C-alpha cells in the first residue's frame, strides 16, 4: 500500500541555520511528490512538487527538495532558515487513479526556529 | 492557482447537531476534495466531489455522516451530521490544479464539538 513516512515529528533549528526535513515514500509506480506547509491557523500551501525530470526541484520561499529513487526519499531543504519558517511541514505522494491524483500525506514535521 | 474560501472559519457546536461547511472557488474546477485533520494529526481524505455525480467516499467515511453536495463547478458543501466530540477537527477543501496532479487547499474550518 502507498504510504509516506516523515521520521521527525519535531525539529528545532536556530535562525540562519540550514534545514533538512526527511520524507520516505512507498509507492510501486513513478511517484508524484509534494511538500506542503501549514502555518498556525492556516490552510496548506504548496511549497514544491516533483513529477518527473530533474530530481532537484526548486520551490517557493527558498525551499528545494531532491528526489532519490534508490532511497525512496524526497527530502526538503533550505540553506538558511528564517523565523517565519516555523510551521508544520507535510510530505505527500500522489496516487493517480481514475483520472485524478489522490494525495496521501505523511504525519508531518513541526519546525520550531530559535532566534 | 485558484483562490479558495471556506465558511465558517471556525465554529463550536453541540453534540448531536449538524454543521454545513461551504467551499467556494474563484474559478471553475472539475475535482474538489474534502479532508479532515484531527488535532495534532495529518490530513485524511474524506471524499472526492465531482460536479454532476455522487461523491466518492474513502474507507471509513460514509455519506450519512458526511453528506456532500457539488451543485456547480465553483462550489461544494460538506455536512458533518449528528456530531460528537470525536468530530472536532479542521475540515479542509481542496481543488486540483490545471494538470490534475497537484492540489490547492482552502484555509480550513476549525470545528469544536462540545
Amino acid at each position: 500500500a502507498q504510504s509516506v513516512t516523515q521520521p521527525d515529528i519535531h525539529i528545532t533549528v536556530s535562525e540562519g541555520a540550514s534545514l533538512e526535513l526527511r520524507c520516505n515514500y512507498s509507492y510501486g509506480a513513478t511517484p508524484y511528490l509534494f511538500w506542503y506547509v501549514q502555518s498556525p491557523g492556516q490552510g496548506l500551501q504548496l511549497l514544491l512538487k516533483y513529477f518527473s525530470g530533474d530530481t532537484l526541484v526548486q520551490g517557493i520561499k527558498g525551499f528545494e527538495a531532491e528526489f532519490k529513487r534508490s532511497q525512496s526519499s524526497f527530502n526538503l531543504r533550505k540553506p538558511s532558515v528564517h523565523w517565519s519558517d516555523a510551521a508544520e511541514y507535510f510530505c505527500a505522494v500522489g496516487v493517480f487513479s481514475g483520472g485524478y491524483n489522490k494525495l496521501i500525506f505523511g504525519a508531518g514535521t513541526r519546525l520550531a526556529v530559535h532566534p | 492557482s485558484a483562490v479558495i474560501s471556506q465558511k465558517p472559519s471556525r465554529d463550536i457546536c453541540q453534540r448531536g447537531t449538524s454543521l454545513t461547511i461551504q467551499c467556494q472557488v474563484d474559478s471553475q474546477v472539475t475535482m474538489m476534495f474534502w479532508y479532515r485533520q484531527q488535532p495534532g494529526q495529518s490530513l485524511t481524505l474524506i471524499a472526492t466531489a465531482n460536479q454532476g455525480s455522487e461523491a466518492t467516499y474513502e474507507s471509513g467515511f460514509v455519506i450519512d455522516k458526511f453528506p456532500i453536495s457539488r451543485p456547480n463547478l465553483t462550489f461544494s458543501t460538506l455536512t458533518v451530521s449528528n456530531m460528537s466530540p470525536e468530530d472536532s477537527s479542521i475540515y479542509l477543501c481542496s481543488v486540483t490544479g490545471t494538470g490534475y496532479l497537484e492540489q490547492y487547499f482552502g484555509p480550513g474550518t476549525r470545528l469544536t464539538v462540545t
Side-chain angles (χ1 to χ4, degrees), chain A residues 76-94:
Chain A
L76 182 71
R77 301 194 294 249
K78 186 169 185 178
S80 178
V81 170
H82 188 262
W83 64 266
S84 61
D85 293 323
E88 184 128 30
Y89 292 80
F90 292 96
C91 181
V93 63

Side-chain angles (χ1 to χ4, degrees), chain A residues 32 34 36 38 41-44 46 49 51 90 96 99-103 105-107, chain B residues 31 33 35 37 41-43 45 48 58 90 92 100-107 110:
Chain A
Y32 302 114
F34 308 86
Y36 287 86
Q38 185 177 36
Q42 303 293 314
L44 271 71
L46 180 63
K49 59 195 176 189
F51 295 157
F90 292 96
F96 197 78
Y100 69 94
N101 217 19
K102 182 170 102 171
L103 295 183
F105 285 86
Chain B
M31 314 287 302
F33 305 85
Y35 289 83
Q37 186 179 22
Q41 303 294 314
S42 186
L43 283 80
L45 180 63
T48 303
E58 296 297 305
I90 300 173
L92 300 103
Y100 295 94
L101 294 177
E102 69 270 29
Q103 292 181 24
Y104 298 96
F105 286 80
R110 183 179 295 272

Side-chain angles (χ1 to χ4, degrees), chain A residues 37-60:
Chain A
V37 60
Q38 185 177 36
S39 298
Q42 303 293 314
L44 271 71
Q45 183 179 22
L46 180 63
L47 281 176
L48 47 77
K49 59 195 176 189
Y50 172 78
F51 295 157
S52 64
D54 193 348
T55 56
L56 185 63
V57 294
Q58 302 296 320
I60 62 172

